[in-house]
Amino acid sequence: MNSETTGALNYGITDHISIQSNGSDSPRLPHKQPFIIGVAGGTASGKTTVCNMIISQLHDQRVVLVNQDSFYRSLNEEQLKKVHEYNFDHPDAFNTELLLSCMEKLRHGQLVSIPSYDFKTHTSIEPSHLVNPADVIILEGILILHDSEVRNLMNMKIFVDTDSDVRLSRRIQRDTVERGRNVKNVLDQYARFVKPSFDEFILPSKKFADVIIPRGGDNHVAIDLIVQHILTKLGQHDLCKIYPNVFVIFSTFQIRGMHTLVRDVKTTKHDFVFYSDRLIRLVVEHGLGHLPFTEKQIITPTGSVYPGVVFCKRLCGVSVIRSGESMENALRACCKGIKIGKILIHPDGKNGRQLIYEKLPADISSRHVLLLDPVLASGNSAVKAVSLLLSKGVPETSVIFLNLIAAPEGIHTVCRKFPKLKIVTSEIDSSLNRNFEVIPGMGEFGDRYFGTD
Ligand SMILES: Nc1ncnc2c1ncn2[C@@H]1O[C@H](COP(=O)(O)OP(=O)(O)O)[C@@H](O)[C@H]1O
Ligand SMILES: Nc1ccn([C@@H]2O[C@H](COP(=O)(O)O)[C@@H](O)[C@H]2O)c(=O)n1
Ligand SMILES: [Mg+2]
């Protein structure tokens, strides 16, 4: 009965910022989606306790808790007569369609009405309660990781893993005090339905969890780590909210896998170059999606009309030597014959930057410029580079700055000074350290890419 725990914290989390672009000069703003956390586990494992601890540590954030219990189907008279034969631990006991439709509304920023459930009468009671949209939604319940559609909503899946004897004793205590049951009822229900359903449906859903919390609310270390992770994710969220011209490419497990490789200190130069190139290609393609286009209808070989577009051809790249040169190949691969200029900037004192060298196309002022630098750290070099472009007559709105990773400090510096340019990046990191290195970062990109480390 006692489920083995690994205590593994597996942060396999998809980003929750979905970026939409219509490919025009003014792409639609990113649609901000809440960060959705699923918390599953056996009865009385401490799910509600863990959720409340997370919520209290996220005190500055807008967080709502949605309980799967609210979606229990009400029993009819016939079922109520034989309530002791009803399995409340089977997936069919829940109205999952209603849960999905409520979640869909919350995800899209709408207020929802969630049923209120009474464990004493086994029915939904009036009034239902209104739940406001929020930045973080926590979905809690025994079977919340069982249904694949519900699981797919989640950015983070947690399983609270508590010894079954502890759970049973807590359940007896709770159900007799709070849910109007007697000890015999609780034990009969437990043996007949609760335990078999735990083994059949709940325990198998543990494999879908990103984070398993042994000992529930007693595990302060796991709860602190989860809260830190959520805060990091919300930090990204907030930057995209503050600066609508910052675009983070839609994250997938492939992209996180590539980041894992390029950030790993043990990765060989060969692999570093290979996976950086793959990520750079994605960032470049995404950046190109922000260029203006004109509509063009063409005829396909079937004689049909295809309402297409032609993208802007007056482009150029500008790489910030030396790391930015690693992005040139991807740009050339996407834009045949593109002109690429270069800028060399050196540190000058603590925050200063000195322009050492520049070679830019003579007609750069009439082109859209893709500025290339894989790491945006303090933003001081970027400010110098963009200032040079503007001094050459390039409109701020024509600059798209492409990076692999960006620190919040760099984003603030660049966006405050140049609110009309666009930044496209594949991940936003936590911060800069005292040496102005991006944390967690990927180290000195140029040295790792060009093998000079
Ligand atoms: N770490 C803990 N130590 C002692 N009692 C706990 C602990 N966690 C939860 N409980 C108690 O156990 C019962 C079930 O906890 P709860 O968080 O409601 O579980 P769940 O939501 O998984 O059913 C509650 O009465 C709660 O106060
Ligand atoms: N009318 C009901 C509905 C549900 N239960 C039991 O509740 C448990 C789920 O709630 P937790 O807070 O323990 O996660 C579940 O195991 C059902 O057996 C009930 O007894 N009566
Ligand atoms: Mg609960």
Side-chain angles (χ1 to χ4, degrees):
M1 187 185 248
N2 193 1
S3 57
E4 280 253 317
T5 58
T6 60
L9 295 176
N10 164 15
Y11 281 8
I13 293 159
T14 43
D15 209 318
H16 55 295
I17 304 166
S18 78
I19 306 294
Q20 298 170 344
S21 165
N22 58 3
S24 72
D25 200 20
S26 50
R28 269 183 277 155
L29 294 184
H31 171 67
K32 301 295 186 318
Q33 301 220 336
F35 191 82
I36 303 179
I37 306 166
V39 180
T43 182
S45 55
K47 300 181 293 298
T48 305
T49 307
V50 163
C51 292
N52 288 335
M53 289 170 78
I54 295 175
I55 291 168
S56 72
Q57 289 193 40
L58 290 173
H59 39 80
D60 287 340
Q61 312 296 331
R62 293 193 312 156
V63 190
V64 291
L65 179 62
V66 177
N67 207 306
Q68 190 181 26
D69 297 342
S70 304
F71 298 91
Y72 266 119
R73 297 181 195 279
S74 288
L75 298 199
N76 58 33
E77 279 189 25
E78 231 16 63
Q79 290 168 320
L80 280 171
K81 278 185 207 151
K82 296 187 212 158
V83 67
H84 301 303
E85 290 172 23
Y86 192 87
N87 186 354
F88 290 102
D89 293 71
H90 192 280
D92 294 346
F94 296 94
N95 185 344
T96 302
E97 299 75 45
L98 182 61
L99 182 146
L100 283 166
S101 83
C102 288
M103 284 304 298
E104 199 53 25
K105 286 186 187 148
L106 279 176
R107 279 178 69 204
H108 291 94
Q110 293 166 29
L111 181 78
V112 288
S113 167
I114 305 259
S116 301
Y117 186 74
D118 180 12
F119 285 92
K120 291 184 178 157
T121 60
H122 315 287
T123 52
S124 291
I125 48 167
E126 290 303 328
S128 50
H129 52 283
L130 289 177
V131 171
N132 284 302
D135 294 325
V136 180
I137 301 174
I138 307 184
L139 259 176
E140 181 240 306
I142 49 172
L143 285 162
I144 216 74
L145 296 184
H146 170 76
D147 182 280
S148 62
E149 270 193 85
V150 180
R151 261 195 331 265
N152 287 341
L153 295 170
M154 295 167 188
N155 301 103
M156 186 184 212
K157 304 180 209 65
I158 297 174
F159 190 94
V160 182
D161 203 352
T162 302
D163 177 86
S164 48
D165 297 343
V166 174
R167 291 194 291 104
L168 176 56
S169 66
R170 284 184 192 164
R171 168 118 178 192
I172 295 169
Q173 173 92 5
R174 182 193 63 193
D175 286 9
T176 49
V177 175
E178 294 170 22
R179 295 188 181 175
R181 316 287 165 89
N182 63 45
V183 177
K184 186 180 179 310
N185 294 156
V186 178
L187 291 176
D188 285 349
Q189 186 189 1
Y190 190 84
R192 188 164 175 195
F193 298 118
V194 181
K195 179 178 160 21
S197 292
F198 177 79
D199 293 336
E200 189 177 351
F201 304 112
I202 302 171
L203 190 55
S205 75
K206 182 167 127 181
K207 63 175 172 285
F208 299 116
D210 301 307
V211 182
I212 296 161
I213 310 187
R215 306 181 309 283
D218 291 337
N219 194 334
H220 294 271
V221 174
I223 291 165
D224 283 354
L225 284 169
I226 290 165
V227 169
Q228 285 314 313
H229 183 86
I230 298 166
L231 287 173
T232 305
K233 288 287 169 185
L234 290 175
Q236 294 185 14
H237 220 171
D238 288 342
L239 283 176
C240 295
K241 270 187 189 157
I242 300 167
Y243 306 115
N245 286 351
V246 174
F247 300 91
V248 183
I249 66 174
F250 184 77
S251 182
T252 62
F253 285 110
Q254 274 292 312
I255 291 174
R256 281 191 65 87
M258 289 189 259
H259 265 277
T260 309
L261 279 155
V262 297
R263 288 164 182 277
D264 189 340
V265 68
K266 295 199 206 108
T267 297
T268 60
K269 181 204 175 241
H270 183 264
D271 280 354
F272 183 83
V273 170
F274 182 82
Y275 290 105
S276 297
D277 284 347
R278 276 187 66 190
L279 282 170
I280 289 168
R281 179 71 184 250
L282 292 173
V283 171
V284 168
E285 291 280 9
H286 196 105
L288 293 171
H290 289 274
L291 292 167
F293 64 86
T294 44
E295 287 177 7
K296 181 182 180 185
Q297 288 197 346
I298 52 107
I299 308 296
T300 71
T302 63
S304 320
V305 174
Y306 177 78
V309 294
V310 186
F311 27 76
C312 155
K313 292 199 179 66
R314 293 213 47 85
L315 295 182
C316 77
V318 171
S319 58
V320 179
I321 300 171
R322 154 180 83 136
S323 302
E325 292 175 311
S326 64
M327 304 174 79
E328 292 179 2
N329 281 344
L331 188 56
R332 286 201 184 90
C334 297
C335 310
K336 244 186 310 163
I338 188 169
K339 291 187 177 183
I340 300 185
K342 296 197 190 258
I343 304 179
L344 176 62
I345 294 163
H346 258 203
D348 185 8
K350 196 176 160 212
N351 291 324
R353 292 292 185 273
Q354 197 189 348
L355 179 68
I356 306 287
Y357 169 81
E358 50 117 329
K359 186 77 189 155
L360 302 171
D363 58 354
I364 192 163
S365 62
S366 61
R367 293 176 181 270
H368 282 262
V369 179
L370 295 145
L371 181 62
L372 312 174
D373 196 349
V375 180
L376 169 58
S378 69
N380 294 328
S381 297
V383 166
K384 191 81 186 166
V386 177
S387 302
L388 174 70
L389 297 175
L390 302 196
S391 74
K392 300 279 176 191
V394 179
E396 199 177 304
T397 46
S398 297
V399 180
I400 304 178
F401 184 26
L402 307 181
N403 338 116
L404 283 193
I405 59 172
E409 291 85 342
I411 292 178
H412 286 302
T413 303
V414 174
C415 292
R416 278 188 198 134
K417 192 145 174 69
F418 308 113
K420 294 188 208 138
L421 63 62
K422 296 184 183 81
I423 296 180
V424 175
T425 190
S426 63
E427 281 193 354
I428 299 177
D429 276 23
S430 309
S431 59
L432 288 184
N433 66 12
R434 283 158 174 235
N435 300 325
F436 299 101
E437 293 165 319
V438 181
I439 299 299
M442 58 172 90
E444 179 46 49
F445 184 91
D447 282 341
R448 294 186 72 189
Y449 193 91
F450 296 109
T452 50
D453 54 345

